Amino acid sequence: MTESDLAQEFDSLDDAYVERPADQFRRFQDAGDIAADVNVRVLAAAPELLGFSAGFLLQIIDNRPQAELEAIADTYANVN
């Protein structure tokens, strides 16, 4: 596998994990529940980026304790 192949694979995974919630957010936006100036694709990408950060960077690379990773996830889930 080349770097180009790997990048393409990550792009397609990103599309799969981001577009579905982005579509849902667009429906809320169309209904006026999310402001028109919010980039819903960026909003939908946030959980994926958090998952990568906590699941790979912090856990695998930085070897952070499980309790810290769970606290990050709990805090993110409870943001209103």
Side-chain angles (χ1 to χ4, degrees):
M1 180 176 264
T2 67
E3 281 186 38
S4 177
D5 292 339
L6 189 58
Q8 188 174 13
E9 180 70 21
F10 276 115
D11 282 345
S12 65
L13 285 173
D14 177 66
D15 289 344
Y17 288 112
V18 173
E19 282 307 316
R20 187 171 179 181
D23 287 342
Q24 294 294 327
F25 290 144
R26 283 185 197 96
R27 288 188 188 105
F28 286 114
Q29 200 170 42
D30 291 344
D33 296 323
I34 296 176
D37 62 341
V38 171
N39 183 330
V40 293
R41 193 167 198 309
V42 171
L43 182 64
E48 179 187 17
L49 295 172
L50 176 69
F52 177 76
S53 296
F56 179 72
L57 295 176
L58 294 178
Q59 182 178 22
I60 304 299
I61 302 298
D62 204 24
N63 200 27
R64 296 285 177 89
Q66 185 67 28
E68 183 179 349
L69 301 173
E70 289 174 6
I72 291 169
D74 287 345
T75 301
Y76 183 80
N78 290 310
V79 170
N80 292 326

